Amino acid sequence: MKIENDWVTIEIDTSAIISQEADYKTTVALCEKGKYSEAKPILKKLIDKNPTNSEYHRIMGQVLSDEGDQEEAINCLIDALRWDSKNGWALLMMGNIFAKFKDDVPTAMKYYDQAQIANPKDNITINNIGANLMQQGKWEEAKKYFYEALKINDQYPNTHFALGMIAEIEMDLQSAFYSTIQSIKLNKSKDVLYQNSVRQAFDISNKIIATDTGNKIFTEYRYKLEFEGGRKIDIIQDEEIPTAAKFEFAENYDRETHIVKYNPTYPAIEHLIMHELVHLDFVIEARKVKLNQLFISTQHHKNAFIKGLDSTIKKFSKMGVSEKAIVEYCSNLFEGMNRQIFNTPIDLFIENFLYSEYADLRPFQFISLFNMLQEGLKAVTDSKIIELSPRDIISKSKVYNLVNALQFKELFGFDLIKDFNASPIELKLATDFYDEYLQYRDDKGPAEEYELVIHWAEDLKLDKNFELVNEHEYRIKNKDINTLIKSIENDPYDLNSKDLYKEREMDKFQKSQQNIGTNMAVVMFMVDALSFFETKSTDEIKKIAFEIAMQGTQGFKPEHDKYIVSSISGKIFSGYHILAYYYVSWALTIPEMLSQLQLPYDEEYSLALKMYKPKK
């Protein structure tokens, strides 16, 4: 730089700068590989050529510190700060040396504070300060910097992991679990930190499970439900049950007491007990509005299911498997599939409820759900099971298991989805199911979980395995003859039923009719009905209307062709024929209640009236 008269002339040696930049990059690359002996000569030449460059001195200080020469490292870092007092990395290095090698935490803290001021928005610098203090056992000092790092960026998994480690050391296990799970959730790749976080989550969970925390949680919840439901709840061990746990409703066993059974060989049994208790909680809420549903599966359903296993049965027979073993296998397959059909949608709501309302139970929930997912994983990926089992059933079971895996990932960040080796179709179906659950989750009303039971079973073509019936109405109709008569008197034609199964069948029927458009068969049958009823009195027509309505409580199927109405002698009705008579008889005698039949034949009736020519 030259100053002559009124001019300042600055000459920049661009070739030297370019040369130094290349040497600088070479030095950094060598240092990253730990090749200090090769890096130092190049670095010394850079410092000689440009002694005012703060970074050259900082890198030399780091090299010397890594080599164990802390005094010379400090001298280099002092030079770095002389030329740039706000060199955050140099300030950080100085703090590290005084904390780690000089055991001079007060001095180290001064440098750390200056490093934070130099890089106030750099959460990684602040996190690294905390990490160095933590390595020295300075937990309180470290936490200060970790919390500051979170204020800047609460999405950095390293910081959460470190806070989890400190909390575990301080025996604040619930906080440790929370921070560790946050680290897992925020880690987008399965790197070393992810693996360490998962390992730490299991270690912390097992320590919490060893305490009496879970016992206190389910004991209090149990008493609450006993008060709300008006029945005592017994909790007993049973290693013979086919699942990890089950709830036996007193009403289903004709006894006064509910029973929760759990298999003690499973880990985190407190979560299993709580899970079953939530089943009761949901039922109590649904019963208050008389919407609770019963899952009914009869021998008829079972026979239809087993009929679809013909190829598998033949294969087992050729293998020499005994008939008894084949029957037992088919029965277990049917019952296992039904458990998934009924439980998977409801369990999602239960686990979300537990996660949201009982934070202290989360470590139990984590271990328990992981264990059950491993069971489900084996059931649909084990080569021997796949070889012997029907592919269709394996695929449907896998979809249900994937839904559980999707929730586990959302709740705890632990991704097991790829382990299922699902096809794109299976994964999409599971994702669609989970998305539908999310639409219900935050504002679920009583008994709405049963809608998902039906929807998913229909999509998987498993709805022939069962029926859902309204519990209130089912129990009334099966209690005693006097109660049954009273219920019939109050609603003789079952028009006010809240049975989800009937609603589902009616919905399917109405949609099928919409697809058909104007049903000319129904129109012609209505013309026949109008002709038949023309000579009948209103009372006679009403009697027929009521008789058909009584039959209608069991449901009419258009494809059936052997319906008989005792009031109409000499006629055998097909499904559409009796539906036409059903509609016309009510339209003629009880038109104000016609809409309650939910028969989509208004257009057909209008056309029939135009076509019908009264007798003279």
Side-chain angles (χ1 to χ4, degrees):
M1 183 176 67
K2 295 179 182 179
I3 301 176
E4 293 181 356
N5 299 324
D6 294 332
W7 289 89
V8 177
T9 305
I10 300 174
E11 294 181 358
I12 299 175
D13 189 348
T14 55
S15 60
I17 292 174
I18 293 172
S19 173
Q20 289 177 25
E21 182 66 20
D23 287 342
Y24 173 74
K25 289 180 179 179
T26 300
T27 302
V28 171
L30 290 169
C31 289
E32 287 175 347
K33 296 177 182 178
K35 298 180 178 181
Y36 298 140
S37 59
E38 297 177 39
K40 280 201 295 186
I42 303 173
L43 196 53
K44 285 179 180 178
K45 288 180 181 179
L46 286 173
I47 292 173
D48 290 340
K49 290 178 181 179
N50 192 352
T52 63
N53 189 304
S54 176
E55 268 300 282
Y56 295 165
H57 293 286
R58 196 271 304 174
I59 293 174
M60 182 63 80
Q62 187 163 350
V63 168
L64 292 169
S65 178
D66 288 350
E67 290 182 334
D69 190 350
Q70 305 307 326
E71 296 303 327
E72 280 304 311
I74 290 173
N75 291 333
C76 289
L77 293 171
I78 288 173
D79 287 337
L81 293 170
R82 179 181 293 121
W83 295 112
D84 181 4
S85 62
K86 296 182 180 180
N87 186 326
W89 293 108
L91 290 165
L92 178 62
M93 275 297 304
M94 286 289 276
N96 292 346
I97 291 172
F98 277 97
K100 187 173 182 179
F101 301 106
K102 299 293 186 180
D103 197 25
D104 185 354
V105 174
T107 301
M109 294 296 288
K110 292 177 182 178
Y111 282 107
Y112 285 152
D113 288 341
Q114 289 303 309
Q116 186 176 350
I117 292 171
N119 296 309
K121 299 299 182 183
D122 186 359
N123 69 290
I124 296 178
T125 294
I126 300 171
N127 179 83
N128 290 344
I129 293 172
N132 279 291
L133 289 168
M134 188 173 73
Q135 288 178 358
Q136 306 307 306
K138 311 298 182 183
W139 318 123
E140 287 303 319
E141 294 88 343
K143 283 195 291 185
K144 167 191 169 185
Y145 286 96
F146 287 135
Y147 288 137
E148 287 299 319
L150 286 184
K151 289 179 183 178
I152 299 169
N153 181 8
D154 62 1
Q155 303 296 300
Y156 190 50
N158 302 55
T159 307
H160 290 284
F161 177 73
L163 285 170
M165 289 181 66
I166 293 175
E168 183 180 9
I169 291 168
E170 295 178 338
M171 291 305 293
D172 184 359
L173 297 179
Q174 289 291 348
S175 295
F177 181 78
Y178 170 81
S179 294
T180 304
I181 293 301
Q182 288 300 106
S183 179
I184 296 173
K185 285 183 176 181
L186 296 170
N187 196 318
K188 304 304 180 185
S189 59
K190 292 188 176 181
D191 55 14
V192 174
L193 177 67
Y194 178 87
Q195 300 297 338
N196 289 338
S197 299
V198 169
R199 192 178 303 111
Q200 183 166 285
F202 278 101
D203 289 343
I204 295 168
S205 295
N206 286 322
K207 288 180 180 178
I208 294 174
I209 289 171
T211 69
D212 64 348
T213 302
N215 185 68
K216 290 179 179 178
I217 293 173
F218 80 69
T219 298
E220 291 179 4
Y221 190 43
R222 169 191 179 183
Y223 291 152
K224 171 181 176 290
L225 293 180
E226 286 180 333
F227 175 77
E228 291 181 357
R231 286 187 187 269
K232 190 173 180 291
I233 304 170
D234 289 336
I235 299 174
I236 62 175
Q237 298 182 15
D238 187 347
E239 293 187 22
E240 302 301 317
I241 56 176
T243 56
K246 64 179 293 193
F247 194 97
E248 293 184 355
F249 287 90
E251 297 86 351
N252 295 343
Y253 291 83
D254 194 24
R255 61 189 179 214
E256 293 300 317
T257 305
H258 297 306
I259 293 179
V260 173
K261 291 183 177 180
Y262 68 90
N263 190 327
T265 63
Y266 281 76
I269 56 97
E270 294 87 348
H271 163 260
L272 299 176
I273 295 170
M274 282 293 288
H275 179 99
E276 297 306 318
L277 290 174
V278 181
H279 269 293
L280 174 60
D281 199 347
F282 283 7
V283 166
I284 290 173
E285 291 304 307
R287 283 174 174 171
K288 289 178 181 177
V289 289
K290 299 181 180 179
L291 288 176
N292 191 52
Q293 304 294 305
L294 295 179
F295 187 90
I296 306 294
S297 190
T298 66
Q299 188 63 41
H300 172 75
H301 297 107
K302 190 174 186 178
N303 291 341
F305 176 84
I306 293 175
K307 188 176 180 180
L309 303 177
D310 282 347
S311 60
T312 300
I313 293 171
K314 290 177 182 177
K315 178 171 66 176
F316 283 162
S317 296
K318 289 180 180 179
M319 293 169 59
V321 179
S322 69
E323 185 176 339
K324 180 181 178 182
I326 293 174
V327 170
E328 185 177 355
Y329 169 83
C330 293
S331 180
N332 289 339
L333 199 62
F334 174 72
E335 291 167 6
M337 198 72 254
N338 274 2
R339 282 194 291 270
Q340 283 193 290
I341 292 169
F342 180 72
N343 286 313
T344 302
I346 298 174
D347 286 354
L348 294 179
F349 292 104
I350 290 175
E351 295 305 333
N352 180 68
F353 173 82
L354 290 174
Y355 187 88
S356 301
E357 300 298 323
Y358 293 92
D360 287 352
L361 191 74
R362 290 177 189 173
F364 298 83
Q365 188 179 22
F366 174 72
I367 294 291
S368 181
L369 291 182
F370 175 80
N371 183 70
M372 286 188 281
L373 273 172
Q374 292 301 304
E375 280 192 349
L377 182 63
K378 178 178 174 60
V380 296
T381 59
D382 183 271
S383 58
K384 190 64 176 177
I385 295 175
I386 291 174
E387 179 186 348
L388 296 174
S389 303
R391 290 184 180 180
D392 181 55
I393 298 300
I394 288 288
S395 178
K396 292 171 181 178
S397 178
K398 185 179 290 188
V399 170
Y400 279 123
N401 278 290
L402 281 167
V403 172
N404 292 327
L406 286 165
Q407 184 181 48
F408 190 67
K409 180 183 178 183
E410 182 185 5
L411 295 182
F412 298 105
F414 196 175
D415 189 355
L416 295 169
I417 296 168
K418 290 183 179 178
D419 296 345
F420 283 89
N421 299 321
S423 69
I425 294 175
E426 290 166 343
L427 185 56
K428 183 181 186 306
L429 197 51
T431 303
D432 289 345
F433 285 176
Y434 196 69
D435 287 343
E436 185 180 12
Y437 150 73
L438 292 176
Q439 293 172 17
Y440 280 77
R441 182 182 63 185
D442 294 332
D443 58 353
K444 183 190 81 68
E448 285 188 349
E449 60 269 25
Y450 297 117
E451 295 178 22
L452 299 190
V453 173
I454 293 171
H455 295 169
W456 298 0
E458 288 178 338
D459 289 345
L460 291 170
K461 299 187 181 348
L462 291 168
D463 51 320
K464 298 292 190 295
N465 275 32
F466 68 97
E467 294 177 15
L468 279 179
V469 299
N470 182 279
E471 181 189 26
H472 177 71
E473 296 174 8
Y474 177 85
R475 296 199 188 282
I476 285 178
K477 292 178 180 178
N478 289 275
K479 190 172 183 181
D480 56 55
I481 189 64
N482 292 327
T483 307
L484 177 60
I485 291 172
K486 185 176 180 181
S487 70
I488 292 174
E489 289 174 349
N490 291 335
D491 184 18
Y493 313 114
D494 211 27
L495 298 178
N496 298 316
S497 172
K498 297 178 181 178
D499 193 313
L500 283 181
Y501 175 72
K502 290 179 182 175
E503 289 180 7
R504 171 171 58 126
E505 291 300 305
M506 178 57 73
D507 184 59
K508 288 166 65 176
F509 169 69
Q510 289 177 335
K511 287 179 180 177
S512 70
Q513 299 308 293
Q514 289 174 4
N515 294 334
I516 292 173
T518 302
N519 192 322
M520 291 307 298
V522 172
V523 173
M524 299 310 297
F525 285 136
M526 284 183 167
V527 171
D528 175 59
L530 289 167
S531 176
F532 177 82
F533 290 134
E534 183 180 356
T535 60
K536 306 293 181 184
S537 69
T538 300
D539 289 341
E540 287 177 312
I541 300 173
K542 188 176 290 187
K543 178 183 177 183
I544 293 171
F546 289 171
E547 183 181 344
I548 297 175
M550 288 300 293
Q551 286 192 51
T553 62
Q554 304 303 313
F556 290 121
K557 295 186 180 297
E559 66 272 17
H560 288 190
D561 58 3
K562 292 184 179 179
Y563 291 107
I564 296 174
V565 180
S566 61
S567 301
I568 306 175
S569 61
K571 269 186 177 286
I572 297 177
F573 293 84
S574 67
Y576 280 126
H577 199 173
I578 198 167
L579 286 171
Y581 268 65
Y582 192 10
Y583 188 102
V584 172
S585 62
W586 281 65
L588 294 174
T589 60
I590 324 171
E592 68 275 10
M593 296 184 69
L594 186 61
S595 62
Q596 295 187 43
L597 300 183
Q598 299 183 62
L599 292 175
Y601 293 142
D602 294 352
E603 184 177 334
E604 282 79 358
Y605 185 58
S606 177
L607 186 56
L609 288 173
K610 293 177 182 177
M611 294 175 63
Y612 172 63
K613 295 179 180 179
K615 299 172 185 176
K616 295 183 181 179

